[in-house]
Coordinates of all heavy atoms in Angstrom, one line a residue:
S27 N -12.0 -4.0 4.8 CA -11.4 -5.2 5.3 C -10.1 -5.6 4.7 O -9.9 -5.2 3.6 CB -12.5 -6.5 5.2 OG -12.5 -6.7 3.7
R28 N -9.4 -6.4 5.4 CA -8.0 -6.6 4.8 C -8.1 -7.4 3.5 O -7.4 -7.0 2.5 CB -7.3 -7.5 5.9 CG -5.9 -7.9 5.4 CD -5.2 -8.7 6.5 NE -3.9 -9.2 5.9 CZ -2.8 -9.2 6.7 NH1 -2.9 -9.0 8.0 NH2 -1.7 -9.5 6.2
P29 N -8.9 -8.4 3.3 CA -9.0 -9.0 2.0 C -9.3 -8.0 0.9 O -8.7 -8.1 -0.2 CB -10.1 -10.1 2.2 CG -10.0 -10.4 3.7 CD -9.8 -9.2 4.3
A30 N -10.3 -7.1 1.1 CA -10.7 -6.2 0.1 C -9.5 -5.2 -0.2 O -9.3 -4.9 -1.4 CB -11.9 -5.3 0.6
I31 N -8.8 -4.8 0.7 CA -7.7 -4.0 0.6 C -6.5 -4.6 -0.2 O -6.0 -4.0 -1.1 CB -7.1 -3.3 1.9 CG1 -8.1 -2.4 2.6 CG2 -5.9 -2.6 1.8 CD1 -8.6 -1.2 1.7
E32 N -6.3 -5.9 0.1 CA -5.3 -6.7 -0.6 C -5.7 -6.8 -2.0 O -4.9 -6.8 -2.9 CB -5.2 -8.1 0.1 CG -4.3 -7.9 1.3 CD -3.9 -9.3 1.9 OE1 -4.3 -10.3 1.3 OE2 -3.3 -9.3 3.1
A33 N -7.0 -7.1 -2.3 CA -7.5 -7.3 -3.6 C -7.3 -6.0 -4.5 O -6.9 -6.0 -5.7 CB -8.9 -7.8 -3.6
L34 N -7.6 -4.9 -3.9 CA -7.4 -3.6 -4.5 C -6.0 -3.4 -4.8 O -5.6 -2.9 -6.0 CB -8.1 -2.5 -3.7 CG -7.9 -1.1 -4.2 CD1 -8.5 -0.9 -5.6 CD2 -8.5 -0.1 -3.3
A35 N -5.2 -3.6 -3.9 CA -3.7 -3.4 -4.0 C -3.2 -4.2 -5.2 O -2.4 -3.8 -6.1 CB -3.0 -3.8 -2.7
K36 N -3.6 -5.5 -5.3 CA -3.1 -6.4 -6.3 C -3.7 -6.0 -7.7 O -3.0 -6.0 -8.7 CB -3.6 -7.8 -6.1 CG -2.8 -8.5 -4.9 CD -3.4 -9.9 -4.7 CE -2.6 -10.6 -3.5 NZ -3.2 -11.9 -3.3
S37 N -4.9 -5.4 -7.7 CA -5.5 -5.0 -9.0 C -4.7 -3.8 -9.5 O -4.8 -3.5 -10.6 CB -7.0 -4.7 -8.8 OG -7.2 -3.4 -8.2
L38 N -4.1 -3.0 -8.6 CA -3.3 -1.8 -9.0 C -1.9 -2.2 -9.3 O -1.0 -1.3 -9.5 CB -3.4 -0.7 -8.0 CG -4.9 -0.2 -7.8 CD1 -4.9 0.7 -6.6 CD2 -5.2 0.6 -9.0
G39 N -1.5 -3.5 -9.2 CA -0.1 -3.9 -9.5 C 0.7 -4.2 -8.3 O 1.9 -4.4 -8.4
A40 N 0.2 -4.1 -7.0 CA 1.0 -4.4 -5.9 C 1.3 -5.8 -5.7 O 0.5 -6.7 -6.1 CB 0.3 -3.8 -4.6
E41 N 2.4 -6.2 -5.1 CA 2.8 -7.5 -4.7 C 2.6 -7.6 -3.1 O 3.3 -6.8 -2.4 CB 4.2 -7.8 -5.1 CG 4.6 -9.2 -4.7 CD 6.0 -9.5 -5.2 OE1 6.6 -8.8 -6.0 OE2 6.6 -10.5 -4.6
I42 N 1.9 -8.5 -2.6 CA 1.7 -8.7 -1.1 C 2.7 -9.6 -0.6 O 2.8 -10.7 -1.2 CB 0.2 -9.1 -0.8 CG1 -0.9 -8.3 -1.5 CG2 0.0 -9.2 0.7 CD1 -0.8 -6.8 -1.1
K43 N 3.5 -9.2 0.3 CA 4.5 -10.0 0.9 C 4.2 -10.2 2.4 O 3.6 -9.4 3.0 CB 5.9 -9.3 0.9 CG 6.3 -9.1 -0.6 CD 7.7 -8.5 -0.7 CE 8.1 -8.4 -2.1 NZ 9.5 -8.0 -2.2
G44 N 4.6 -11.4 3.0 CA 4.4 -11.7 4.3 C 5.6 -11.4 5.3 O 5.4 -11.6 6.5
S45 N 6.7 -10.9 4.7 CA 7.8 -10.5 5.5 C 8.5 -9.3 5.1 O 8.2 -8.8 3.9 CB 8.8 -11.7 5.5 OG 9.3 -11.9 4.3
V46 N 9.3 -8.7 5.9 CA 10.1 -7.5 5.6 C 11.3 -7.9 4.9 O 12.1 -8.7 5.5 CB 10.3 -6.7 6.9 CG1 11.1 -5.4 6.6 CG2 9.0 -6.2 7.5
G47 N 11.7 -7.4 3.7 CA 12.8 -7.7 3.1 C 13.1 -6.7 2.0 O 12.5 -5.7 1.8
K48 N 14.2 -7.0 1.2 CA 14.5 -6.2 0.2 C 13.4 -5.9 -0.9 O 12.6 -6.8 -1.1 CB 15.8 -6.7 -0.7 CG 17.0 -6.7 0.1 CD 18.1 -7.1 -0.7 CE 19.4 -7.2 0.1 NZ 20.5 -7.3 -0.7
G49 N 13.3 -4.7 -1.3 CA 12.3 -4.4 -2.2 C 10.9 -4.0 -1.7 O 10.0 -3.6 -2.4
L50 N 10.8 -4.0 -0.4 CA 9.5 -3.6 0.3 C 9.4 -2.1 0.3 O 10.3 -1.4 0.6 CB 9.5 -4.2 1.7 CG 8.2 -4.0 2.5 CD1 7.1 -5.0 1.8 CD2 8.4 -4.4 3.9
T51 N 8.2 -1.6 -0.3 CA 8.0 -0.3 -0.3 C 7.3 0.3 0.9 O 7.6 1.3 1.4 CB 7.2 0.1 -1.5 OG1 7.8 -0.5 -2.7 CG2 6.9 1.5 -1.7
Y52 N 6.3 -0.4 1.4 CA 5.5 0.0 2.6 C 5.3 -1.2 3.4 O 5.1 -2.4 2.9 CB 4.0 0.4 2.1 CG 4.0 1.5 1.1 CD1 3.5 1.2 -0.2 CD2 4.4 2.8 1.4 CE1 3.5 2.3 -1.1 CE2 4.4 3.8 0.5 CZ 3.9 3.6 -0.7 OH 3.8 4.5 -1.8
L53 N 5.2 -0.9 4.7 CA 4.8 -2.0 5.7 C 3.4 -1.4 6.3 O 3.3 -0.3 6.8 CB 5.8 -2.2 6.7 CG 5.3 -3.1 7.9 CD1 5.1 -4.6 7.4 CD2 6.3 -3.1 9.1
V54 N 2.4 -2.2 6.1 CA 1.1 -1.8 6.8 C 1.0 -2.5 8.1 O 1.1 -3.8 8.1 CB -0.1 -2.3 5.8 CG1 -1.3 -1.8 6.5 CG2 0.1 -1.6 4.4
A55 N 1.1 -1.7 9.2 CA 1.1 -2.3 10.5 C 0.3 -1.5 11.5 O 0.2 -0.3 11.3 CB 2.5 -2.3 10.9
G56 N -0.2 -2.1 12.5 CA -0.9 -1.5 13.6 C 0.2 -1.2 14.7 O 1.3 -1.7 14.7
E57 N -0.3 -0.7 15.8 CA 0.5 -0.5 16.9 C 0.9 -1.8 17.6 O 0.3 -2.8 17.6 CB -0.3 0.3 18.0 CG 0.3 1.5 18.6 CD -0.6 2.2 19.5 OE1 -1.4 3.1 19.1 OE2 -0.3 2.0 20.8
G58 N 2.2 -1.9 18.0 CA 2.6 -3.1 18.6 C 2.9 -4.2 17.6 O 2.8 -5.3 18.0
S59 N 3.4 -3.8 16.4 CA 3.6 -4.8 15.4 C 4.9 -5.5 15.5 O 5.2 -6.4 14.8 CB 3.5 -4.2 14.0 OG 4.3 -3.1 13.9
G60 N 5.7 -5.1 16.5 CA 6.9 -5.8 16.9 C 8.1 -5.8 15.9 O 8.4 -4.8 15.4
S61 N 8.7 -7.0 15.6 CA 9.9 -7.1 14.9 C 9.8 -6.7 13.4 O 10.7 -6.2 12.9 CB 10.4 -8.6 15.0 OG 9.5 -9.5 14.4
K62 N 8.6 -6.9 12.9 CA 8.4 -6.4 11.5 C 8.7 -5.0 11.4 O 9.3 -4.4 10.5 CB 7.1 -6.9 10.9 CG 7.0 -8.4 10.5 CD 5.7 -8.6 9.9 CE 5.7 -10.2 9.5 NZ 4.5 -10.5 8.7
S63 N 8.0 -4.2 12.3 CA 8.2 -2.8 12.3 C 9.7 -2.3 12.6 O 10.1 -1.4 12.0 CB 7.3 -2.1 13.4 OG 5.9 -2.1 13.0
D64 N 10.2 -3.1 13.5 CA 11.6 -2.7 13.9 C 12.5 -2.9 12.7 O 13.4 -2.0 12.4 CB 12.1 -3.7 15.0 CG 11.4 -3.5 16.4 OD1 10.7 -2.3 16.5 OD2 11.5 -4.2 17.3
K65 N 12.3 -4.0 11.9 CA 13.2 -4.2 10.8 C 12.9 -3.2 9.7 O 13.7 -2.7 9.1 CB 13.0 -5.6 10.2 CG 13.8 -6.0 9.0 CD 14.1 -7.4 8.8 CE 14.9 -7.7 7.6 NZ 15.9 -6.8 7.2
A66 N 11.5 -2.9 9.5 CA 11.2 -1.9 8.5 C 11.8 -0.5 8.8 O 12.3 0.1 8.0 CB 9.7 -1.8 8.4
K67 N 11.8 -0.1 10.0 CA 12.4 1.2 10.5 C 13.9 1.1 10.2 O 14.5 2.0 9.6 CB 12.1 1.4 12.0 CG 10.8 1.8 12.2 CD 10.6 2.0 13.8 CE 9.1 2.2 14.1 NZ 8.9 2.2 15.6
K68 N 14.5 0.0 10.5 CA 16.0 -0.2 10.3 C 16.3 0.0 8.8 O 17.3 0.6 8.4 CB 16.4 -1.4 10.8 CG 17.9 -1.7 10.7 CD 18.3 -3.1 11.2 CE 19.7 -3.5 10.9 NZ 20.0 -4.9 11.0
D69 N 15.4 -0.6 8.0 CA 15.6 -0.7 6.6 C 15.2 0.6 5.8 O 15.3 0.7 4.6 CB 15.0 -1.9 5.9 CG 15.7 -3.2 6.4 OD1 16.8 -3.1 6.9 OD2 15.1 -4.2 6.1
G70 N 14.5 1.5 6.6 CA 14.1 2.7 5.9 C 12.8 2.6 5.1 O 12.4 3.4 4.3
V71 N 12.0 1.5 5.5 CA 10.7 1.3 4.9 C 9.6 2.1 5.5 O 9.5 2.3 6.7 CB 10.3 -0.2 5.0 CG1 8.9 -0.5 4.4 CG2 11.3 -1.1 4.3
L72 N 8.8 2.7 4.7 CA 7.7 3.6 5.2 C 6.6 2.7 5.8 O 6.2 1.7 5.2 CB 7.1 4.4 4.0 CG 5.9 5.3 4.4 CD1 6.4 6.4 5.3 CD2 5.4 6.0 3.1
I73 N 6.3 3.1 7.1 CA 5.2 2.3 7.8 C 3.9 3.1 7.7 O 3.8 4.2 8.2 CB 5.7 2.0 9.3 CG1 7.1 1.2 9.2 CG2 4.6 1.2 9.9 CD1 7.7 1.0 10.6
L74 N 2.9 2.4 7.3 CA 1.5 3.0 7.2 C 0.6 2.1 8.0 O 0.7 1.0 8.2 CB 1.0 2.9 5.7 CG 1.9 3.6 4.7 CD1 1.3 3.3 3.3 CD2 1.9 5.1 5.0
T75 N -0.4 2.9 8.6 CA -1.5 2.2 9.2 C -2.5 1.7 8.0 O -2.3 2.1 6.8 CB -2.4 3.2 10.0 OG1 -3.0 4.2 9.1 CG2 -1.6 4.0 11.0
G76 N -3.4 0.8 8.4 CA -4.3 0.3 7.5 C -5.1 1.4 6.7 O -5.4 1.3 5.6
D77 N -5.6 2.3 7.6 CA -6.3 3.5 7.0 C -5.5 4.3 6.0 O -6.0 4.6 4.9 CB -6.9 4.3 8.0 CG -8.0 3.8 8.9 OD1 -8.6 2.7 8.4 OD2 -8.2 4.2 10.0
D78 N -4.3 4.6 6.3 CA -3.4 5.3 5.5 C -3.1 4.5 4.1 O -3.1 5.1 3.0 CB -2.0 5.6 6.1 CG -2.2 6.7 7.2 OD1 -3.3 7.4 7.1 OD2 -1.3 6.7 8.0
F79 N -3.0 3.3 4.2 CA -2.7 2.5 3.1 C -4.0 2.4 2.1 O -3.9 2.6 0.9 CB -2.3 1.1 3.4 CG -1.9 0.2 2.3 CD1 -0.7 0.6 1.5 CD2 -2.5 -1.0 1.9 CE1 -0.4 -0.2 0.4 CE2 -2.1 -1.7 0.9 CZ -1.0 -1.5 0.1
A80 N -5.1 2.3 2.8 CA -6.4 2.3 2.1 C -6.6 3.6 1.2 O -7.0 3.6 0.1 CB -7.6 2.0 2.9
K81 N -6.2 4.8 1.9 CA -6.3 6.1 1.2 C -5.3 6.0 0.1 O -5.7 6.6 -1.1 CB -6.0 7.2 2.2 CG -7.1 7.4 3.2 CD -6.7 8.5 4.2 CE -7.6 8.6 5.4 NZ -7.2 9.4 6.4
L82 N -4.1 5.7 0.3 CA -3.1 5.6 -0.7 C -3.6 4.8 -2.0 O -3.5 5.2 -3.1 CB -1.8 5.0 -0.2 CG -0.6 4.9 -1.2 CD1 -0.1 6.3 -1.4 CD2 0.4 4.1 -0.6
L83 N -4.1 3.7 -1.7 CA -4.7 2.9 -2.8 C -5.9 3.5 -3.5 O -5.9 3.5 -4.8 CB -5.2 1.5 -2.2 CG -4.1 0.5 -1.8 CD1 -4.7 -0.7 -1.1 CD2 -3.1 0.2 -2.8
R84 N -6.7 4.1 -2.7 CA -7.9 4.9 -3.4 C -7.4 6.0 -4.3 O -7.9 6.2 -5.4 CB -8.9 5.3 -2.4 CG -9.7 4.1 -1.7 CD -10.7 4.7 -0.8 NE -11.2 3.6 0.0 CZ -10.9 3.5 1.3 NH1 -10.2 4.4 1.9 NH2 -11.3 2.4 2.0
N85 N -6.4 6.7 -3.9 CA -5.8 7.8 -4.7 C -5.1 7.2 -5.9 O -5.2 7.8 -7.0 CB -4.8 8.6 -3.8 CG -5.4 9.5 -2.8 OD1 -6.6 9.8 -2.9 ND2 -4.7 9.8 -1.8
G86 N -4.5 6.0 -5.8 CA -3.8 5.4 -6.9 C -4.9 4.9 -7.9 O -4.7 5.0 -9.1
E87 N -6.0 4.4 -7.3 CA -7.1 3.9 -8.2 C -7.7 5.1 -9.0 O -8.0 5.0 -10.2 CB -8.2 3.4 -7.4 CG -9.3 2.7 -8.2 CD -10.3 2.0 -7.2 OE1 -10.6 2.6 -6.2 OE2 -10.7 0.9 -7.5
K88 N -7.9 6.3 -8.3 CA -8.4 7.4 -9.1 C -7.5 8.0 -10.2 O -7.8 8.2 -11.2 CB -8.6 8.6 -8.1 CG -9.8 8.4 -7.2 CD -10.0 9.5 -6.2 CE -11.0 9.2 -5.2 NZ -11.1 10.1 -4.1
K89 N -6.1 7.9 -9.9 CA -5.1 8.3 -10.8 C -5.1 7.3 -12.1 O -5.1 7.8 -13.2 CB -3.7 8.4 -10.3 CG -3.4 9.6 -9.3 CD -2.1 9.5 -8.7 CE -2.0 10.6 -7.6 NZ -0.7 10.5 -7.0
Q90 N -5.3 6.0 -11.8 CA -5.4 5.1 -12.9 C -6.6 5.3 -13.7 O -6.5 5.2 -14.9 CB -5.4 3.7 -12.2 CG -5.3 2.6 -13.3 CD -5.1 1.2 -12.6 OE1 -6.0 0.9 -11.8 NE2 -4.3 0.4 -13.1
E91 N -7.7 5.6 -13.1 CA -8.9 5.9 -13.9 C -8.8 7.0 -14.7 O -9.2 7.2 -15.8 CB -10.1 6.0 -12.9 CG -10.5 4.7 -12.3 CD -11.6 5.0 -11.2 OE1 -12.0 6.2 -10.9 OE2 -12.0 4.0 -10.6
T92 N -8.1 8.1 -14.1 CA -7.9 9.4 -14.9 C -7.0 9.2 -16.1 O -7.3 9.7 -17.2 CB -7.4 10.4 -13.9 OG1 -8.2 10.6 -12.8 CG2 -7.1 11.7 -14.7
S93 N -5.9 8.4 -15.9 CA -5.0 8.3 -17.0 C -5.6 7.3 -18.1 O -5.3 7.5 -19.3 CB -3.7 7.6 -16.5 OG -3.9 6.4 -16.0
C94 N -6.6 6.5 -17.7 CA -7.2 5.6 -18.7 C -8.4 6.3 -19.4 O -8.8 5.8 -20.5 CB -7.8 4.3 -18.0 SG -6.4 3.3 -17.5
N95 N -8.9 7.3 -18.8 CA -10.1 8.1 -19.4 C -9.8 9.5 -19.6 O -10.2 10.4 -18.8 CB -11.3 7.9 -18.5 CG -11.6 6.4 -18.4 OD1 -11.8 5.6 -19.3 ND2 -11.9 5.9 -17.1
P96 N -9.0 9.9 -20.6 CA -8.7 11.3 -20.7 C -9.9 12.2 -21.0 O -10.9 11.7 -21.7 CB -7.7 11.3 -21.9 CG -7.9 10.1 -22.6 CD -8.4 9.1 -21.5
T97 N -9.9 13.4 -20.6 CA -11.0 14.3 -20.7 C -11.0 14.8 -22.3 O -9.9 15.1 -22.8 CB -10.9 15.6 -19.9 OG1 -10.7 15.1 -18.6 CG2 -12.0 16.5 -20.0
P98 N -12.1 14.6 -22.9 CA -12.2 15.2 -24.3 C -11.9 16.6 -24.5 O -12.2 17.5 -23.6 CB -13.5 14.8 -24.8 CG -14.2 14.3 -23.7 CD -13.3 14.2 -22.5
V99 N -11.2 17.1 -25.6 CA -10.9 18.5 -25.8 C -12.0 19.1 -26.6 O -12.5 18.5 -27.5 CB -9.6 18.5 -26.5 CG1 -9.2 20.0 -26.8 CG2 -8.5 17.9 -25.8

């Protein structure tokens, strides 16, 4: 769900914005997202589907867990 994905993103250090502007890394958008997608494309912002963003977050969460829990030698 959107609230769960937003919470996960925030827990990994992401800042959630409501508009497209400077400093935006990703735009999570569906088909027909209109002017936000148009502006993001113009600004060179990577546009992801909700599923792609969720995968990206899950991969980031795994990397964070790995870096916090090194394998014993």
Side-chain angles (χ1 to χ4, degrees):
S27 72
R28 181 179 177 145
I31 294 297
E32 284 185 6
L34 177 57
K36 287 179 182 178
S37 76
L38 294 170
E41 180 181 342
I42 308 299
K43 298 184 177 189
S45 62
V46 177
K48 289 186 178 190
L50 188 67
T51 306
Y52 306 111
L53 174 66
V54 181
E57 232 177 275
S59 55
S61 62
K62 285 186 180 182
S63 287
D64 293 341
K65 179 152 178 41
K67 286 176 189 172
K68 181 182 170 197
D69 293 347
V71 174
L72 182 60
I73 301 172
L74 301 172
T75 66
D77 289 341
D78 289 338
F79 188 62
K81 288 176 191 172
L82 180 72
L83 291 177
R84 287 187 198 106
N85 287 338
E87 186 178 44
K88 288 177 187 172
K89 287 179 186 174
Q90 189 178 45
E91 288 171 3
T92 301
S93 65
C94 292
N95 300 312
T97 306
V99 179

